[in-house]
Amino acid sequence: MTVTDSQTSHGILGTRTLRKEDPKLLSGEAKFTDDLVIPGALYMALLRSTVAHAKIVSIDTEAAKEAPGVVAVYTYEDLKDDWAGPMPCAWPVTPDMKNPTHFPLANGKVNYVGDGVAVVLANSKEAAIDALELINVEYDELDPVLEIEDSAKDERVIHEDLGTNASYKWDLIPNKDGVDEAFAKAAYTVSERYIQQRIVPAAMEPRSIVVVPAPFGGDFTIYNTTQIPHILKIMLALTVGISETKLRVIAPSVGGGFGSKLDVYAEDVLTLALARKLRKPIRWTEERTENALATIHGRGQVQYIELAADENGKVTAVRVNILADMGAYLQLITPGIPLLGAFLYHGVYDVPNYSFSCTGYFTNKTPTDAYRGAGRPEATFAIERAMDALAHKMGVSPIELRRRNFIQKEQFPYSSAAGLVFDSGDYETNLDKAVGLFGIEDILAEKQRRIDSGSTKLLGIGISFFVEMCGLAPSRVLASLNYGAGGWEAATVRILPTSKVQVVTGSAPHGQGHETAWAMIVADRLGIDINDIEVLHSDTAIAPHGLDTYGSRSLSVGGSAVHMATEKVLEKARSIAAHQLEVSEADLDYANGMFTVKGSPDKAFPLAGAAFEAFTAHNLPDGMEPNLEASVTWDPPNFTFPYGSHLALVEVDTETGKVDLLRYLAVDDCGNRVNPLIIEGQVHGGLAQGIAQALFEEAAYDDRGNLITSTLADYLVPSAAEFPFFELDHTVTPSPTNPLGVKGIGEAGAIASPPAIINAVVDALNHLGIEDVEMPASPQRVWRAINAAKKG
Amino acid sequence: MFPSSFDYVRASSVSEAISILNNEEDAKLIAGGHSLLPLMKLRLANPSKLVDIGRIGDLSYIADRGDHVAIGALTRHAAIESSDVVKASVPMLAYVASLVGDPSVRHRGTLGGSVSHGDGASDLPAAILALDATLVVTSASGVREVAAKDFFKGFLETDLNQGEVLTEIKVPKATGGWSYQKFNRRAQDWAIVGVAAVRNGSTKISLVNMASMPIRAEAVESALSGGASIEEAAALASEGIEPPSDLNASADYRRHLASVLVRRALVEASSN
Amino acid sequence: MEVTMTVNGAKVSKDVEPRTLLVHFVRDNLGLTGTNVGCDTSSCGACTVHVNGESVKSCTMLAVQADGQEITTIEGMAQANGEMHPMQKAFQENHGLQCGYCTPGMVMAATSLLKENPHPTEQEVRNGLEGNLCRCTGYHNIVKAVLAAADGMAEV
């Protein structure tokens, strides 16, 4: 064991420690799934539907089967006995939720452009993809159902056996009379309709899978660029019909996920079923266009939100109705996404009366599911836009209106009308800091000067104050929402005979920096060098228990489990040290890898010695098991509730409609800060995605249901040239929910930024009579809004 | 993705390339490949043979020829962008070259390739159109010259016949006022609308992505020569033009943008 | 057909189909999997390598077009003693990467940029990286890393 001084290790929490992950990623040494060399693998390619809604009249695969290098071509009919059940949905949000049965390949009917129709296996990826062009499919086209509000009319039903396009209706109406009364008595009301456009998550690494059958024994190793190796293993066992004991899922380096790799896809099932059928390794990597068509989309909602307020602008009720676009089918947690926001449409405001309803509708589009923030960006957008609408109506400043409504710091833990208990917060202090840093008064003067001078470059300031529930999640709460799994996380800390430390985590990173952060947590407690700590993850044979990475849960749940396992292993070491020193455990101090006897600091026994004693087991206390290892599975008692003030300054070119983001300030509070470098990186990335939703990105379809933004040339993921440097600061309000006092930061930027941007755009144009601009606020859309306002 | 299979031959001279093109109807020239390969990867173009002219060294040059600058067809965008000759004699062309795609694209893409492709949404074809460049076309029967305004014929259609190779672009020096207004949402993207304005004696205006091919804003030009003000002329930006509609811009928004950008271009060209 | 080129300082010859893209050549034929593929449309830059010292999107170049050329991939950036290139160091020190998928291409584009413009402004760095997409970092720390590398390399 390297015993280091406190300068370099003990007290490492809160420092800007450089990431352990980086050298191999920077050198090209890291292996992503498609980098793996697997001899003898067959390459899979999917023929996908080119029409949004049609009956399949015939599929002719003969020519493809004869093509050079092709090993097999299959359709639904050929494979219908190769799986044990339909594609899984793990979140039946209501007992009567309608879930269309669907399989990895279309059974007689296609329901979106991208739906799998046939699969080719070949000796090379070139042969597999070339053969797709030789398959002939005859379709009997049906009119597609594309818009949520059209779907709701049920004039054309997509899944005829269900009898309706509505999948479910879910209500959270604890006090209808109270809400009705608040609206009846309100001095002010606003009634708003917002659109959450569809977003392509667009992780830079496309999905990729290699399934390798073991040479004997019927086992399979599944390399999959997934956020959820553990959940995927369970779902594949059930869906394909293979004992879970025969499956090992490994997520190699994973090139981003943002929710899109939190799923079980047709290709996951196909590669495993075909590896079993042909007893050969099967591999598949998605093309970018397939990523746009056949990996899930995010968002996709029509939101109706109403606020009731008294004469002072104190909001007395929030009433929300959501129409959510499920897409063609329910994926793993599609129907539950709106529920993750359902409790938060009152935002950071103390609102006594609350009503939320959501209906999920099918459309002939790519299925939706979790995308960074999942439900909470939608909620935050609606309440933060509606608060601005109320402020405009009342003629008070948006910042002042927010202050009047904040949950006060004395109210924490705060029991909300929606039924949550907010853990901790001091919103006023956070907002003060943000407002002070932004220099609003000077901007307002310049803004007015430009209006007065008739400038065509107008300024707008937008604010958004967000709170999210993350750290998913207390298992019992998940049970009450009908979610198909718990919310615990597992960790093992193992001190090896040579005193090196292994940390095993059930959380599966894809860029977040767990290897660094987890090592810091352990190093801090044990007082050792982080380079002596290895973090093992993302392999179900090495880390058998876990619930993976999503919902800003890793640090608050998984990191806390690591912290607790470290405490537990240290207690065992303390027993060994006490035994060796022949003193009582209570007489020992511990620091920097060394147990010392209180009052006699020269009587000492190192942690390294305890590790070696535990290994040899020559002289352990009576009854103690050998080896120095401890495991903890931790189920959090509550969510965590990060929050923060975000301020945006935009310049709108009123002639072209183009919006330029000039400044963006985020003052986040994610509780205690383990590694500020990583925290800031998470905020930057989240901001970029949220700003992209506000200004650039939209999965757009034509009137026949073709995705017209299916490449990165059409789907506008912004580049460095489209952003300024972000300005970040923070406050710290520790969470009482977990021993680290942390809250989570992965989704914050994506949650807070869309309303800040749109509020800024509307602020710039409000004097023209413009009250809303839909996302993305493209130049054309802004120009049209200005035009419409001019015409009155 | 990757292209369908094809044969490949590297030509060592223009005449060799021409003779291959004449013998194989479906053969296509490739230079930098930045117009053709993206289409082939999406299998929107499936030529049976590629004739690589990228190594014909004597087609990559920038030469001051007195009243004009001669640019070899294989000259890369990056070379034009950084050329002192171009910057001094045709500054707009250097600037426009610096806006094509991104730096990696500009390291490979060639002026001849871009002009031969004739995409109405590309920057450089519109630039040479406003600059009144002359295009030198070589074939088995010799060399002919075509004025840029006669070169672009339609959607990805130019005056080049099978068996002809664009070998040089002669760009008249233009050191008077100029402006290039590129309007897009991301820096790397094609223009939603672009406007090139060159004051060289008379004022020439060309438009990007306002039609299936690069075009001149003739109504603006004649209004200006008839003494119209910038405002009046700019209002005519899309006169007689049927711009395309797509996700980023409907035809009416394109018309509006064209007027705004023509006005801005004329103002800027008048002040430098 | 046979192609011969120098990759990361070593001469290699392989038989390839004419349609083989340079990126597939370095990944599949040479096993240099540090260069990634992120799109089909020359938009994302994950596949950026150097051809004769300049950044090129290797998904938009045929291997046969690279015949006889000098190619450098991310695997060729470290110094002979294994120490990281100053740009790689700057990316780590400034936390300019998260998932790491765009990173090799980003490093290759950034080094090419500094070769042509050793002292870029922030905006020049941003424009210089316009063809390289990152979904994790919001570019903030990437731009910082490139500016820091420009300072650091200038000192050497």
Short mmCIF file of all heavy atoms in Angstrom, two decimals, chain A residues 749-792:
data_model
loop_
_atom_site.label_atom_id
_atom_site.label_comp_id
_atom_site.label_asym_id
_atom_site.label_seq_id
_atom_site.Cartn_x
_atom_site.Cartn_y
_atom_site.Cartn_z
N GLY A 749 -28.15 20.36 -16.58
CA GLY A 749 -28.01 21.32 -17.68
C GLY A 749 -29.09 21.15 -18.73
O GLY A 749 -29.63 22.13 -19.26
N ALA A 750 -29.41 19.90 -19.03
CA ALA A 750 -30.41 19.64 -20.07
C ALA A 750 -31.82 19.97 -19.58
O ALA A 750 -32.71 20.24 -20.38
CB ALA A 750 -30.35 18.16 -20.50
N ILE A 751 -32.01 19.93 -18.26
CA ILE A 751 -33.33 20.22 -17.70
C ILE A 751 -33.58 21.73 -17.65
O ILE A 751 -34.65 22.22 -18.00
CB ILE A 751 -33.43 19.61 -16.29
CG1 ILE A 751 -33.47 18.07 -16.38
CG2 ILE A 751 -34.64 20.15 -15.54
CD1 ILE A 751 -33.35 17.36 -15.05
N ALA A 752 -32.57 22.46 -17.22
CA ALA A 752 -32.78 23.88 -16.94
C ALA A 752 -32.70 24.76 -18.19
O ALA A 752 -33.33 25.83 -18.23
CB ALA A 752 -31.75 24.36 -15.92
N SER A 753 -31.92 24.35 -19.18
CA SER A 753 -31.60 25.31 -20.22
C SER A 753 -32.69 25.58 -21.27
O SER A 753 -32.79 26.74 -21.71
CB SER A 753 -30.28 24.93 -20.90
OG SER A 753 -30.31 23.62 -21.40
N PRO A 754 -33.50 24.60 -21.69
CA PRO A 754 -34.48 24.99 -22.73
C PRO A 754 -35.39 26.16 -22.34
O PRO A 754 -35.54 27.10 -23.13
CB PRO A 754 -35.25 23.68 -22.99
CG PRO A 754 -34.27 22.60 -22.63
CD PRO A 754 -33.52 23.15 -21.44
N PRO A 755 -35.99 26.16 -21.13
CA PRO A 755 -36.83 27.31 -20.82
C PRO A 755 -36.03 28.61 -20.65
O PRO A 755 -36.55 29.69 -20.96
CB PRO A 755 -37.52 26.91 -19.50
CG PRO A 755 -36.68 25.83 -18.92
CD PRO A 755 -36.05 25.12 -20.08
N ALA A 756 -34.78 28.52 -20.17
CA ALA A 756 -33.99 29.76 -20.05
C ALA A 756 -33.82 30.39 -21.43
O ALA A 756 -33.94 31.61 -21.60
CB ALA A 756 -32.63 29.45 -19.42
N ILE A 757 -33.54 29.54 -22.42
CA ILE A 757 -33.31 30.06 -23.78
C ILE A 757 -34.60 30.63 -24.37
O ILE A 757 -34.63 31.74 -24.91
CB ILE A 757 -32.75 28.95 -24.69
CG1 ILE A 757 -31.40 28.46 -24.18
CG2 ILE A 757 -32.67 29.44 -26.14
CD1 ILE A 757 -30.27 29.42 -24.30
N ILE A 758 -35.67 29.86 -24.28
CA ILE A 758 -36.92 30.34 -24.90
C ILE A 758 -37.45 31.56 -24.15
O ILE A 758 -37.95 32.51 -24.76
CB ILE A 758 -37.97 29.20 -24.96
CG1 ILE A 758 -37.43 28.04 -25.82
CG2 ILE A 758 -39.29 29.73 -25.54
CD1 ILE A 758 -37.11 28.37 -27.26
N ASN A 759 -37.30 31.57 -22.84
CA ASN A 759 -37.69 32.78 -22.10
C ASN A 759 -36.89 33.99 -22.57
O ASN A 759 -37.41 35.11 -22.66
CB ASN A 759 -37.50 32.58 -20.60
CG ASN A 759 -38.61 31.76 -19.97
OD1 ASN A 759 -39.69 31.60 -20.56
ND2 ASN A 759 -38.37 31.21 -18.78
N ALA A 760 -35.62 33.76 -22.90
CA ALA A 760 -34.79 34.87 -23.38
C ALA A 760 -35.24 35.34 -24.77
O ALA A 760 -35.31 36.54 -25.04
CB ALA A 760 -33.32 34.44 -23.42
N VAL A 761 -35.55 34.38 -25.63
CA VAL A 761 -36.01 34.74 -26.98
C VAL A 761 -37.31 35.54 -26.89
O VAL A 761 -37.48 36.57 -27.54
CB VAL A 761 -36.19 33.48 -27.85
CG1 VAL A 761 -36.85 33.82 -29.18
CG2 VAL A 761 -34.85 32.77 -28.07
N VAL A 762 -38.23 35.05 -26.05
CA VAL A 762 -39.51 35.74 -25.91
C VAL A 762 -39.29 37.12 -25.26
O VAL A 762 -39.93 38.10 -25.65
CB VAL A 762 -40.50 34.88 -25.09
CG1 VAL A 762 -41.77 35.67 -24.75
CG2 VAL A 762 -40.86 33.62 -25.87
N ASP A 763 -38.36 37.18 -24.33
CA ASP A 763 -38.06 38.46 -23.68
C ASP A 763 -37.58 39.50 -24.71
O ASP A 763 -37.95 40.67 -24.65
CB ASP A 763 -37.00 38.27 -22.59
CG ASP A 763 -36.68 39.57 -21.86
OD1 ASP A 763 -37.62 40.17 -21.30
OD2 ASP A 763 -35.50 39.99 -21.88
N ALA A 764 -36.78 39.03 -25.64
CA ALA A 764 -36.27 39.95 -26.66
C ALA A 764 -37.38 40.50 -27.54
O ALA A 764 -37.26 41.60 -28.08
CB ALA A 764 -35.21 39.25 -27.51
N LEU A 765 -38.44 39.72 -27.71
CA LEU A 765 -39.47 40.05 -28.69
C LEU A 765 -40.80 40.43 -28.05
O LEU A 765 -41.76 40.73 -28.75
CB LEU A 765 -39.68 38.86 -29.64
CG LEU A 765 -38.42 38.40 -30.38
CD1 LEU A 765 -38.70 37.10 -31.14
CD2 LEU A 765 -37.93 39.48 -31.34
N ASN A 766 -40.83 40.39 -26.72
CA ASN A 766 -42.09 40.57 -26.02
C ASN A 766 -42.75 41.92 -26.31
O ASN A 766 -43.97 42.01 -26.43
CB ASN A 766 -41.87 40.38 -24.52
CG ASN A 766 -43.16 40.18 -23.77
OD1 ASN A 766 -43.52 40.94 -22.90
ND2 ASN A 766 -43.90 39.14 -24.14
N HIS A 767 -41.94 42.96 -26.48
CA HIS A 767 -42.51 44.30 -26.73
C HIS A 767 -43.19 44.37 -28.10
O HIS A 767 -43.95 45.27 -28.38
CB HIS A 767 -41.41 45.37 -26.64
CG HIS A 767 -40.36 45.23 -27.70
ND1 HIS A 767 -39.41 44.25 -27.66
CD2 HIS A 767 -40.14 45.93 -28.83
CE1 HIS A 767 -38.63 44.35 -28.73
NE2 HIS A 767 -39.05 45.36 -29.44
N LEU A 768 -42.91 43.35 -28.96
CA LEU A 768 -43.60 43.29 -30.25
C LEU A 768 -44.92 42.55 -30.13
O LEU A 768 -45.65 42.41 -31.11
CB LEU A 768 -42.71 42.57 -31.28
CG LEU A 768 -41.34 43.19 -31.54
CD1 LEU A 768 -40.52 42.30 -32.48
CD2 LEU A 768 -41.49 44.59 -32.12
N GLY A 769 -45.19 42.03 -28.94
CA GLY A 769 -46.43 41.30 -28.73
C GLY A 769 -46.26 39.79 -28.84
O GLY A 769 -47.24 39.04 -28.91
N ILE A 770 -45.01 39.35 -28.86
CA ILE A 770 -44.76 37.90 -28.99
C ILE A 770 -44.70 37.28 -27.60
O ILE A 770 -43.95 37.73 -26.73
CB ILE A 770 -43.46 37.66 -29.77
CG1 ILE A 770 -43.69 38.05 -31.23
CG2 ILE A 770 -42.99 36.21 -29.65
CD1 ILE A 770 -42.45 38.09 -32.07
N GLU A 771 -45.51 36.23 -27.41
CA GLU A 771 -45.58 35.57 -26.10
C GLU A 771 -44.99 34.18 -26.11
O GLU A 771 -44.77 33.57 -25.07
CB GLU A 771 -47.05 35.49 -25.63
CG GLU A 771 -47.67 36.84 -25.30
CD GLU A 771 -47.10 37.50 -24.03
OE1 GLU A 771 -46.33 36.83 -23.31
OE2 GLU A 771 -47.41 38.67 -23.79
N ASP A 772 -44.75 33.62 -27.30
CA ASP A 772 -44.19 32.27 -27.32
C ASP A 772 -43.54 32.01 -28.67
O ASP A 772 -43.96 32.56 -29.69
CB ASP A 772 -45.29 31.22 -27.08
CG ASP A 772 -44.72 29.82 -26.82
OD1 ASP A 772 -43.57 29.73 -26.34
OD2 ASP A 772 -45.42 28.83 -27.08
N VAL A 773 -42.49 31.19 -28.64
CA VAL A 773 -41.88 30.66 -29.86
C VAL A 773 -41.63 29.19 -29.59
O VAL A 773 -41.03 28.83 -28.58
CB VAL A 773 -40.55 31.37 -30.21
CG1 VAL A 773 -39.95 30.76 -31.46
CG2 VAL A 773 -40.76 32.87 -30.39
N GLU A 774 -42.10 28.36 -30.50
CA GLU A 774 -41.93 26.92 -30.31
C GLU A 774 -40.47 26.50 -30.46
O GLU A 774 -39.71 27.12 -31.20
CB GLU A 774 -42.74 26.19 -31.40
CG GLU A 774 -43.89 25.36 -30.88
CD GLU A 774 -44.66 24.72 -32.02
OE1 GLU A 774 -44.05 23.96 -32.79
OE2 GLU A 774 -45.87 24.98 -32.14
N MET A 775 -40.14 25.40 -29.80
CA MET A 775 -38.80 24.84 -29.97
C MET A 775 -38.77 23.94 -31.21
O MET A 775 -39.75 23.27 -31.49
CB MET A 775 -38.41 24.00 -28.75
CG MET A 775 -38.24 24.82 -27.48
SD MET A 775 -37.49 23.83 -26.16
CE MET A 775 -38.80 22.67 -25.76
N PRO A 776 -37.66 23.83 -31.90
CA PRO A 776 -36.51 24.70 -31.73
C PRO A 776 -36.80 26.08 -32.32
O PRO A 776 -37.45 26.18 -33.36
CB PRO A 776 -35.40 23.99 -32.52
CG PRO A 776 -36.14 23.23 -33.59
CD PRO A 776 -37.46 22.85 -32.98
N ALA A 777 -36.32 27.12 -31.65
CA ALA A 777 -36.54 28.49 -32.12
C ALA A 777 -35.60 28.74 -33.30
O ALA A 777 -34.61 29.45 -33.19
CB ALA A 777 -36.32 29.48 -30.99
N SER A 778 -35.95 28.11 -34.41
CA SER A 778 -35.14 28.23 -35.63
C SER A 778 -35.32 29.63 -36.20
O SER A 778 -36.30 30.32 -35.88
CB SER A 778 -35.59 27.19 -36.64
OG SER A 778 -36.92 27.47 -37.05
N PRO A 779 -34.40 30.06 -37.04
CA PRO A 779 -34.56 31.39 -37.64
C PRO A 779 -35.93 31.55 -38.32
O PRO A 779 -36.60 32.57 -38.15
CB PRO A 779 -33.41 31.46 -38.65
CG PRO A 779 -32.38 30.52 -38.12
CD PRO A 779 -33.14 29.42 -37.43
N GLN A 780 -36.32 30.51 -39.08
CA GLN A 780 -37.60 30.61 -39.78
C GLN A 780 -38.76 30.79 -38.81
O GLN A 780 -39.66 31.59 -39.02
CB GLN A 780 -37.82 29.37 -40.64
CG GLN A 780 -39.19 29.36 -41.30
CD GLN A 780 -39.28 28.30 -42.37
OE1 GLN A 780 -39.30 28.61 -43.56
NE2 GLN A 780 -39.33 27.05 -41.97
N ARG A 781 -38.73 30.03 -37.70
CA ARG A 781 -39.83 30.09 -36.75
C ARG A 781 -39.88 31.46 -36.06
O ARG A 781 -40.95 32.02 -35.85
CB ARG A 781 -39.62 28.97 -35.73
CG ARG A 781 -40.86 28.55 -35.04
CD ARG A 781 -40.65 27.23 -34.33
NE ARG A 781 -41.18 26.12 -35.09
CZ ARG A 781 -40.79 24.86 -34.92
NH1 ARG A 781 -39.86 24.56 -34.03
NH2 ARG A 781 -41.34 23.90 -35.62
N VAL A 782 -38.71 31.99 -35.72
CA VAL A 782 -38.68 33.30 -35.07
C VAL A 782 -39.14 34.37 -36.04
O VAL A 782 -39.92 35.27 -35.69
CB VAL A 782 -37.25 33.60 -34.55
CG1 VAL A 782 -37.15 35.04 -34.04
CG2 VAL A 782 -36.87 32.61 -33.45
N TRP A 783 -38.70 34.26 -37.29
CA TRP A 783 -39.11 35.23 -38.30
C TRP A 783 -40.63 35.21 -38.48
O TRP A 783 -41.28 36.24 -38.57
CB TRP A 783 -38.40 34.91 -39.62
CG TRP A 783 -38.86 35.75 -40.77
CD1 TRP A 783 -38.61 37.08 -40.97
CD2 TRP A 783 -39.69 35.32 -41.86
NE1 TRP A 783 -39.22 37.50 -42.13
CE2 TRP A 783 -39.88 36.45 -42.70
CE3 TRP A 783 -40.27 34.09 -42.20
CZ2 TRP A 783 -40.64 36.37 -43.87
CZ3 TRP A 783 -41.02 34.02 -43.38
CH2 TRP A 783 -41.21 35.16 -44.19
N ARG A 784 -41.18 34.00 -38.51
CA ARG A 784 -42.64 33.90 -38.66
C ARG A 784 -43.37 34.53 -37.48
O ARG A 784 -44.40 35.19 -37.64
CB ARG A 784 -43.07 32.43 -38.77
CG ARG A 784 -42.72 31.81 -40.09
CD ARG A 784 -43.62 30.61 -40.41
NE ARG A 784 -43.11 29.94 -41.59
CZ ARG A 784 -43.11 30.47 -42.81
NH1 ARG A 784 -43.63 31.67 -43.00
NH2 ARG A 784 -42.61 29.81 -43.83
N ALA A 785 -42.82 34.32 -36.29
CA ALA A 785 -43.44 34.91 -35.09
C ALA A 785 -43.42 36.43 -35.19
O ALA A 785 -44.41 37.11 -34.89
CB ALA A 785 -42.72 34.44 -33.84
N ILE A 786 -42.29 36.97 -35.65
CA ILE A 786 -42.17 38.42 -35.79
C ILE A 786 -43.15 38.93 -36.84
O ILE A 786 -43.84 39.93 -36.65
CB ILE A 786 -40.72 38.81 -36.15
CG1 ILE A 786 -39.79 38.48 -34.97
CG2 ILE A 786 -40.63 40.29 -36.51
CD1 ILE A 786 -38.32 38.57 -35.31
N ASN A 787 -43.22 38.20 -37.95
CA ASN A 787 -44.15 38.57 -39.02
C ASN A 787 -45.58 38.57 -38.55
O ASN A 787 -46.35 39.50 -38.84
CB ASN A 787 -44.02 37.55 -40.16
CG ASN A 787 -43.30 38.13 -41.33
OD1 ASN A 787 -42.85 39.28 -41.26
ND2 ASN A 787 -43.17 37.36 -42.38
N ALA A 788 -45.93 37.51 -37.82
CA ALA A 788 -47.31 37.39 -37.35
C ALA A 788 -47.62 38.53 -36.38
O ALA A 788 -48.71 39.11 -36.41
CB ALA A 788 -47.51 36.04 -36.67
N ALA A 789 -46.64 38.88 -35.54
CA ALA A 789 -46.86 39.96 -34.58
C ALA A 789 -47.05 41.29 -35.30
O ALA A 789 -47.88 42.11 -34.92
CB ALA A 789 -45.69 40.04 -33.61
N LYS A 790 -46.27 41.50 -36.37
CA LYS A 790 -46.38 42.76 -37.12
C LYS A 790 -47.77 42.91 -37.73
O LYS A 790 -48.34 43.99 -37.77
CB LYS A 790 -45.35 42.76 -38.26
CG LYS A 790 -43.98 43.25 -37.84
CD LYS A 790 -43.08 43.27 -39.07
CE LYS A 790 -41.63 43.45 -38.70
NZ LYS A 790 -40.73 43.00 -39.79
N LYS A 791 -48.29 41.74 -38.20
CA LYS A 791 -49.62 41.78 -38.82
C LYS A 791 -50.70 41.90 -37.76
O LYS A 791 -51.86 42.11 -38.08
CB LYS A 791 -49.84 40.52 -39.65
CG LYS A 791 -49.02 40.54 -40.94
CD LYS A 791 -49.12 39.22 -41.69
CE LYS A 791 -48.17 39.20 -42.88
NZ LYS A 791 -47.74 37.84 -43.22
N GLY A 792 -50.28 41.73 -36.49
CA GLY A 792 -51.23 41.86 -35.38
C GLY A 792 -52.18 40.70 -35.36
O GLY A 792 -53.32 40.81 -35.04
#
